[in-house]
Amino acid sequence: MSGRNGRAGRILVLAMGNDLLSDDGAALHASRLLRWIVPENVDVVETSEAGFALLEFLEGYPRALILDAIRTGKQPPGTLLRLTQDDFAPVESPSPHYAGLPDLRTLADQNGISFPDEVLMLAMEVRDPYSIGEELTPEVSMALQDYVRAAADILMRWPRNGSLSHKHQAATGRAD
Amino acid sequence: MQEESKALWNDAQARAARSAMNARRITIDPITRLEGHGKVDIFLNTEGNVDRAFFQVPELRGFEIFSLGRPAEDMPQITSRICGVCPTAHHMAATKTLDDLYRVEPPPTAKKLRELMYNIFMLEDHALHVYILGGPDFIVGPEAPAALRNVVGVIETVGLEVGKKVISMRRRLRELMTLMAGKAVHPVFGLPGGVSKGIAKEDISHFREVAQDALEFSRFTLQVFHDLVLKNDDYVKLITSDTYTHRTYYMGLVDENNAVNFYDGDLRVVDPTGGVFARFPAANYLDYVAEHVEPWSYVKFCYLKPVGWNGFTEGADSGIYAVAPLARLNAAQGMATPEAQKAYDEFFATLGEPVHHTLANHWARVVEMLQAAERIVELVNDPEITGTDIRTLPTETPTSGIGVVEAPRGTLFHHYETDERGLITKANLIVATQNNSARMAMSVEKAAKDLVRNGEVSDGLLNKIEMAFRAYDPCHACATHTLPGQMPLIARIRGADGEILRELRR
């Protein structure tokens, strides 16, 4: 349990992706800039894991902001999408590796693991998350500053003490 | 005019054929509960029975090209970043390849530390599969609704206490890996000739405590498997049914006593009757392993070079072989630790020798968990494990290196060539899933042919087809490699002669 007790009252920024797969690493690139400007109550963590493994990252934090690359093909690369837990329908999870947030919450509740009361996802629409490479595509690279700024804005608006009294401030819907 | 109407007629015929073909195509996409991504296409004939079934890979990673020109010593870090599923296997295979590349022998303590790290990883990864990836098929049941065939369903079946145990054990094992290697997912640990960090004497008691609990946990897992699977006649029937049976060759790493070893040793291959076919060091892998290419898949199909490629067929005349837990148990003559040996004896006494039932992989995985745990206990109680001589500095000029480990999913080869500065000029990886790909393709097709009758396809039936390859615990994230490193294709729909009727591009 080491380290998990210190999470109360703190905020987790969980950046997901693989920085060897071009745009799949967009959130990781953003988090490497973001970590220099976040308030002191924020932990910025990078991971290439998914699904079930994320429980260990989220456990114990009252609030979490997840950064990830997303490819819907429905909007131009570089577009930011803001998703709340309500946007993640509790669908049948096809895989624990792709376990959705509702599954993780169920699993956490079932096993008495403390799960964030508030989880917000800020995802960036990307062009190419499939090619091996460390470079972002130009559109995504250009949008990186906006990504960092939008993430920082969310963090600044969240209360420093980690309480949930300002829940209404969590933005909903799409940012574009 | 006549020509024109003929062309119109032909066009209409072709369209009708295409639409009929489309209607008869069943796709399971994405494959559920599987590491990485995959896709299965099943083609039905006009009677609604399976004509052919393909197991396809929609994701590609041109990793070998990416590594060209990079310093060889970066490979343990780069290859472990291929994906988040088996980073430690790649890390260790790359590290051993560097030993060979620089012709350097790690000191005994370094070897033991690596083996400790590797067995912890093996145990943690196998536990994930037993309880979470493959477990739902057996613990919850293959006929259970999809909504319950997941980790939540597993915990509902085995009980909350067990769920807590699984989650806490996995976490504690990963914490040990973090202590040893900086991080569990992308370890910073292996160096040519040794490791970066030893275990301090004051930390070893913590390792011993977790090791003992891990052994208890593995014993408990074997008990769960006994109670829930082996005592259930329906499951045992399913495991031993012809649908999930293939008589092929098997490959796995063995120690000097021909016992299963995950970290080091020679490769041993047995034929479909269980007789030894070959025993060779990793350095000679190219004499034994060749790759076959099929137009419908990016995955290369490995086969035994001395036997040859004989299509997707079984038996001694076909070079198709398997790796992974079942293959390792078949290829060895025993386990390296006493309790695992007992479980091994029971395994073969129950199922015969060699075991050709793909679904027995799940049982074999539990036997291997026990060996991993016992080996961890041995290593943390070895006085040499806290030694400080953990590195032999390389002095040779590098040219070429080959390394092998047993990944949880099977044999993993790394092979690098470098210039005199140690910059990669050529890299070849043969990952576990690639070794298994031919047998896996056969498994999917056989299951589909046996289970889909007269066009009747239920959710439970599709799950049973998926079970055929889920047993291998395949991971396709790193199994494919092509020049541009990009996957230009999603689906090809083929007619009976193999001609492409329709092609869908990304």
Side-chain angles (χ1 to χ4, degrees):
Chain A
M1 305 290 156
S2 60
R4 283 171 181 80
N5 297 332
R7 291 176 174 182
R10 299 191 64 79
I11 291 171
L12 172 70
V13 174
L14 188 59
M16 294 168 45
N18 185 336
D19 55 1
L20 287 187
L21 281 179
S22 309
D23 286 350
D24 196 51
L28 304 181
H29 287 272
S31 77
R32 285 166 200 167
L33 299 170
L34 182 67
R35 67 168 68 248
W36 298 102
I37 55 168
V38 295
E40 49 71 39
N41 65 327
V42 176
D43 297 326
V44 181
V45 177
E46 294 183 16
T47 178
S48 61
E49 292 186 283
F52 179 68
L54 298 183
L55 195 56
E56 286 164 32
F57 291 101
L58 292 163
E59 179 183 355
Y61 284 100
R63 284 171 192 270
L65 173 64
I66 296 176
L67 307 180
D68 202 357
I70 194 168
R71 193 171 178 277
T72 66
K74 288 178 186 154
Q75 48 265 316
T79 308
L80 291 176
L81 301 173
R82 224 174 279 217
L83 307 163
T84 66
Q85 285 169 92
D86 300 336
D87 296 316
F88 296 95
V91 288
E92 275 170 25
S93 169
S95 155
H97 284 273
Y98 308 106
L101 285 175
D103 300 298
L104 291 183
R105 182 177 293 283
T106 307
L107 189 66
D109 292 347
Q110 199 184 34
N111 289 281
I113 292 170
S114 134
F115 195 81
D117 286 310
E118 182 163 5
V119 180
L120 189 66
M121 180 185 261
L122 186 63
M124 180 180 277
E125 176 83 24
V126 298
R127 174 180 290 282
D128 177 14
Y130 305 112
S131 299
I132 284 275
E134 291 173 307
E135 306 279 309
L136 298 172
T137 58
E139 295 98 321
V140 170
S141 186
M142 295 277 279
L144 210 56
Q145 277 198 18
D146 292 340
Y147 197 6
V148 175
R149 198 172 297 135
D153 280 352
I154 292 169
L155 295 171
M156 298 297 175
R157 273 186 280 132
W158 271 351
R160 292 294 175 99
N161 62 9
S163 77
L164 297 172
S165 54
H166 296 82
K167 217 166 183 172
H168 64 277
Q169 288 186 349
T172 53
R174 289 176 178 177
D176 51 332
Chain B
M1 192 65 194
Q2 206 181 2
E3 278 305 304
E4 201 177 313
S5 55
K6 198 171 151 192
L8 267 174
W9 171 252
N10 285 343
D11 187 41
Q13 287 290 311
R15 279 171 197 237
R18 277 199 290 271
S19 104
M21 183 54 78
N22 290 345
R24 294 199 302 268
R25 177 168 170 266
I26 303 165
T27 303
I28 309 172
D29 184 18
I31 285 163
T32 57
R33 276 204 310 282
L34 171 67
E35 315 268 20
H37 304 281
K39 185 167 150 192
V40 175
D41 282 327
I42 300 167
F43 295 86
L44 302 187
N45 60 21
T46 44
E47 286 82 46
N49 294 319
V50 174
D51 188 22
R52 289 199 71 180
F54 297 111
F55 182 25
Q56 295 189 328
V57 180
E59 185 167 332
L60 259 218
R61 311 191 172 200
F63 198 78
E64 280 97 341
I65 301 302
F66 179 75
S67 58
L68 293 184
R70 291 173 188 270
E73 60 266 34
D74 285 359
M75 292 302 267
Q77 264 60 52
I78 297 174
T79 56
S80 72
R81 282 162 61 199
I82 292 177
C83 84
V85 175
C86 46
T88 310
H90 278 295
H91 183 77
M92 209 57 87
T95 301
K96 288 182 66 188
T97 307
L98 292 184
D99 289 346
D100 190 43
L101 181 71
Y102 288 99
R103 305 278 176 260
V104 64
E105 182 75 11
T109 296
K111 278 191 182 172
K112 285 175 183 169
L113 286 165
R114 285 185 189 175
E115 204 190 334
L116 175 60
M117 172 82 178
Y118 203 68
N119 276 281
I120 295 173
F121 160 66
M122 205 73 178
L123 180 52
E124 179 252 334
D125 199 273
H126 270 8
L128 177 73
H129 194 280
V130 167
Y131 286 100
I132 295 166
L133 299 175
D137 289 339
F138 289 102
I139 295 172
V140 183
E143 303 283 5
L148 279 178
R149 281 199 315 270
N150 53 36
V151 63
V152 175
V154 169
I155 290 173
E156 273 175 18
T157 310
V158 295
L160 269 187
E161 281 314 303
V162 181
K164 282 182 186 158
K165 215 181 234 185
V166 174
I167 289 170
S168 132
M169 196 67 244
R170 231 176 89 77
R171 170 191 296 156
R172 291 171 70 206
L173 290 170
R174 286 164 66 92
E175 279 169 359
L176 288 191
M177 290 166 77
T178 306
L179 272 176
M180 294 183 77
K183 27 190 184 171
V185 175
H186 296 144
V188 190
F189 183 65
L191 300 168
V195 295
S196 57
K197 183 170 169 274
I199 298 178
K201 280 203 170 71
E202 58 268 29
D203 289 338
I204 198 68
S205 59
H206 174 59
F207 277 81
R208 286 181 185 151
E209 188 189 312
V210 178
Q212 200 54 45
D213 291 350
L215 180 55
E216 285 302 326
F217 174 74
S218 302
R219 288 172 179 150
F220 165 80
T221 304
L222 185 64
Q223 193 58 45
V224 168
F225 196 82
H226 264 272
D227 293 347
L228 289 174
V229 180
L230 298 180
K231 286 184 185 161
N232 184 328
D233 287 345
D234 289 343
Y235 288 177
V236 176
K237 247 183 242 164
L238 191 67
I239 291 175
T240 54
S241 66
D242 183 61
T243 299
Y244 296 107
T245 301
H246 290 291
R247 303 177 62 78
T248 61
Y249 288 81
Y250 300 95
M251 182 191 286
L253 268 183
V254 293
D255 65 15
E256 62 281 5
N257 303 317
N258 286 335
V260 170
N261 195 307
F262 306 129
Y263 168 71
D264 208 4
D266 277 349
L267 287 150
R268 192 166 189 268
V269 181
V270 295
D271 64 30
T273 65
V276 59
F277 171 77
R279 194 183 198 279
F280 60 93
N284 299 345
Y285 84 103
L286 287 175
D287 296 338
Y288 291 91
V289 176
E291 295 173 316
H292 170 80
V293 177
E294 284 281 316
W296 49 268
S297 176
Y298 276 103
V299 173
K300 292 177 193 160
F301 296 90
C302 290
Y303 62 95
L304 294 168
K305 212 172 181 175
V307 183
W309 177 258
N310 201 3
F312 290 93
T313 55
E314 306 180 16
D317 296 334
S318 169
I320 291 176
Y321 63 94
V323 297
L326 170 65
R328 281 193 286 258
L329 265 55
N330 277 333
Q333 289 187 308
M335 304 304 284
T337 56
E339 289 186 44
Q341 179 63 41
K342 247 177 82 183
Y344 171 99
D345 290 339
E346 188 197 5
F347 178 83
F348 286 107
T350 310
L351 298 175
E353 193 166 357
V355 176
H356 294 296
H357 311 304
T358 305
L359 296 183
N361 263 304
H362 296 288
W363 189 356
R365 202 168 276 122
V366 177
V367 176
E368 289 194 335
M369 275 177 72
L370 206 48
Q371 167 160 327
E374 286 183 283
R375 189 70 189 125
I376 292 168
V377 171
E378 284 174 10
L379 285 164
V380 296
N381 286 293
D382 187 322
E384 241 177 359
I385 202 76
T386 51
T388 51
D389 181 16
I390 55 171
R391 180 98 200 266
T392 308
L393 284 178
T395 53
E396 301 272 317
T397 305
T399 52
S400 156
I402 296 171
V404 67
V405 293
E406 283 294 332
R409 293 146 195 88
T411 316
L412 169 64
F413 295 98
H414 279 211
H415 180 181
Y416 319 142
E417 285 172 16
T418 69
D419 65 12
E420 73 288 353
R421 294 168 296 173
L423 302 181
I424 301 279
T425 54
K426 197 179 157 195
N428 185 35
L429 313 186
I430 296 182
V431 304
T433 299
Q434 208 177 328
N435 283 302
N436 265 337
S437 55
R439 196 179 194 271
M440 219 180 300
M442 288 199 301
S443 294
V444 168
E445 182 157 304
K446 192 168 186 180
K449 282 188 169 162
D450 286 0
L451 296 167
V452 177
R453 289 280 156 83
N454 304 321
E456 214 170 296
V457 186
S458 68
D459 177 54
L461 216 54
L462 289 185
N463 185 51
K464 278 191 182 166
I465 292 167
E466 294 183 51
M467 279 170 66
F469 57 78
R470 201 146 55 217
Y472 296 93
D473 190 12
C475 175
H476 273 112
C478 55
T480 48
H481 33 186
T482 190
L483 246 170
Q486 201 190 25
M487 225 296 295
L489 169 151
I490 288 181
R492 276 180 176 167
I493 300 158
R494 291 168 181 278
D497 315 333
E499 86 274 23
I500 297 166
L501 298 176
R502 201 168 156 211
E503 189 171 294
L504 306 169
R505 284 189 172 273
R506 195 189 289 285

